[in-house]
């Protein structure tokens, strides 16, 4: 690993991970050859005797020792993975980036470096990234645009987990998304955002909002916004000087419209 180590330290994150990917694939192939050579020994003796490590475990143990002797290796690997993930979030993922990150996370898992420090660092980075990005997105988009943004980011992170992260990481990432994209902007979402969606009868977006708020325990807030909207809208209709027949007809149409929103957007379960 010595020559590869020297080359990796001076490379960009992309080139560094490409070197680690090549090293990892070559190492796995070599270990596979060793296991074939000593297959009988491993099956008949080493498996039955806990005193000795299996060939794969022995090789990973030696790799871990090599990394411990030069901690800069792990620092470079961790930094490169995090940098590549941030780049993916900014410009999109590619098959190449996903492949090299997958090799890198496999190395971390085998060396028991995935949960700590990698996953903790990834969650910290994710929190910072989406806190900043969501502030920009909610300030420049209308509520429909922001909900589309939420859907896109949830999809991105789900695909990231499938591509190269441990499945258990997904729950922590989704918690970050819920807190940064939804809970942090709750006043906007249930205030002017909700009113705009209700005015347009945007049932698809209202359903997404309902589901998102449910995940962060804010259904009571949504229920209050729904009640406030109904009361204000109804009061405004009654305050206009019109004939009784027109008022009744308008109220019936309004009720039908609100009933449709309830049916189509799941808000039926938040009725005041």
């Amino acid at each position: 690993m010595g020559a590869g180590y020297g080359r990796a330290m001076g490379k960009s994150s992309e080139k560094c991970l490409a070197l680690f990917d090549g090293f990892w694939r070559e190492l796995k192939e070599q270990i596979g050859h060793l296991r074939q050579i000593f297959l009988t020994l491993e099956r008949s003796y080493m498996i039955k005797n806990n005193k000795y490590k299996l060939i794969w475990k022995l090789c990973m143990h030696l790799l871990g020792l090599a990394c411990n002797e030069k901690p800069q290796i792990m620092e470079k690997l961790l930094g490169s993975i995090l940098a590549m993930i941030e780049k993916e979030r900014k410009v999109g993922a590619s098959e190449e980036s996903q492949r090299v990150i997958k090799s890198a996370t496999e190395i971390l898992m085998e060396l028991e470096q995935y949960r700590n420090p990698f996953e903790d660092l990834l969650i910290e980075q994710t929190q910072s990234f989406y806190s900043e990005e969501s502030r920009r997105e909610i300030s420049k988009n209308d509520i429909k645009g922001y909900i589309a943004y939420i859907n896109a980011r949830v999809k991105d992170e789900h695909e990231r987990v499938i591509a190269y992260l441990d499945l258990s990481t997904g729950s922590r990432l989704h918690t970050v998304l819920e807190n940064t994209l939804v809970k942090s902007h709750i006043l906007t979402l249930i205030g002017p955002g909700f009113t705009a969606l209700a005015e347009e009868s945007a049932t698809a977006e209202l359903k997404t909002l309902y589901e998102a708020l449910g995940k962060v325990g804010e259904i009571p807030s949504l229920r209050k916004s729904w009640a406030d909207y109904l009361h204000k809208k109804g009061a405004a209709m009654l305050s206009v000087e019109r004939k009784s027949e027109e008022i009744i007809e308008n109220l019936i149409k309004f009720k039908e419209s609100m009933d449709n929103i309830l049916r189509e957007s799941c808000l039926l379960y938040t009725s005041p």
Side-chain angles (χ1 to χ4, degrees):
M1 191 175 181
Y5 160 74
R7 292 196 302 272
M9 291 304 102
K11 299 291 185 180
S12 66
S13 297
E14 295 176 54
K15 292 181 179 179
C16 177
L17 289 184
L19 286 174
F20 275 111
D21 173 59
F23 160 76
W24 183 239
R25 286 187 287 116
E26 182 179 351
L27 178 63
K28 288 196 294 184
E29 183 179 352
Q30 292 173 350
I31 295 175
H33 293 326
L34 280 175
R35 295 185 69 186
Q36 288 297 320
I37 294 172
F38 295 104
L39 182 61
T40 302
L41 174 64
E42 187 172 56
R43 287 182 175 178
S44 62
Y45 185 72
M46 297 176 73
I47 290 178
K48 297 177 182 178
N49 194 332
N50 294 331
K51 181 179 178 180
Y52 301 102
K53 295 180 183 291
L54 298 180
I55 291 174
W56 176 265
K57 291 293 185 182
L58 176 60
C59 291
M60 292 301 102
H61 175 70
L62 294 173
L63 177 60
L65 291 177
C67 290
N68 289 338
E69 289 179 0
K70 296 190 175 184
Q72 303 96 318
I73 296 176
M74 191 56 61
E75 291 174 7
K76 183 66 176 179
L77 180 60
L78 290 169
S80 296
I81 298 172
L82 294 172
M84 279 290 286
I85 291 176
E86 182 161 0
K87 182 178 179 181
E88 281 192 345
R89 285 171 172 159
K90 291 179 177 178
V91 301
S94 66
E95 290 185 7
E96 173 67 13
S97 68
Q98 290 183 339
R99 182 175 63 80
V100 297
I101 296 175
K102 182 175 178 60
S103 290
T105 56
E106 285 180 358
I107 295 173
L108 295 178
M109 290 177 189
E110 291 296 339
L111 298 183
E112 299 182 354
Q113 297 290 313
Y114 182 88
R115 298 277 175 238
N116 181 30
F118 169 69
E119 188 176 87
D120 291 340
L121 291 172
L122 174 63
I123 295 302
E124 182 181 342
Q125 180 197 66
T126 303
Q127 176 81 35
S128 175
F129 180 86
Y130 283 121
S131 291
E132 180 179 346
E133 185 182 70
S134 66
R135 285 194 293 269
R136 293 197 305 269
E137 292 295 325
I138 203 165
S139 64
K140 74 179 184 181
N141 286 307
D142 60 14
I143 187 63
K144 281 188 174 181
Y146 188 72
I147 287 178
Y149 158 73
I150 292 176
N151 285 335
R153 280 315 198 181
V154 169
K155 182 175 179 289
D156 287 345
E157 294 305 321
H158 176 72
E159 291 176 350
R160 193 179 323 285
V161 172
I162 298 299
Y164 52 70
L165 297 175
D166 189 81
L167 292 179
S168 63
T169 308
S171 61
R172 294 186 69 186
L173 286 176
H174 284 299
T175 297
V176 171
L177 291 178
E178 290 161 5
N179 288 332
T180 55
L181 307 190
V182 180
K183 201 171 184 67
S184 294
H185 305 289
I186 191 67
L187 294 180
T188 300
L189 293 174
I190 65 173
F194 175 82
T195 300
L197 295 178
E199 286 289 327
E200 296 181 35
S201 296
T203 55
E205 287 79 7
L206 282 167
K207 183 176 182 179
T208 299
L209 181 61
Y210 169 83
E211 293 170 348
L213 294 176
K215 291 177 180 177
V216 297
E218 291 290 347
I219 292 299
S221 299
L222 180 60
R223 182 180 294 115
K224 185 177 184 304
S225 292
W226 175 243
D228 289 345
Y229 174 76
L230 293 179
H231 295 157
K232 290 178 182 178
K233 191 75 173 179
M237 294 174 69
L238 291 173
S239 67
V240 177
E241 292 186 4
R242 291 178 179 173
K243 294 180 180 180
S244 299
E245 294 82 359
E246 291 181 4
I247 293 176
I248 293 173
E249 183 179 349
N250 289 338
L251 286 173
I252 290 173
K253 289 180 180 179
F254 175 66
K255 182 180 183 305
E256 290 175 349
S257 175
M258 296 302 98
D259 286 344
N260 181 64
I261 289 177
L262 288 173
R263 286 192 302 270
E264 300 295 328
S265 66
C266 296
L267 291 177
L268 177 63
Y269 305 108
T270 69
S271 297

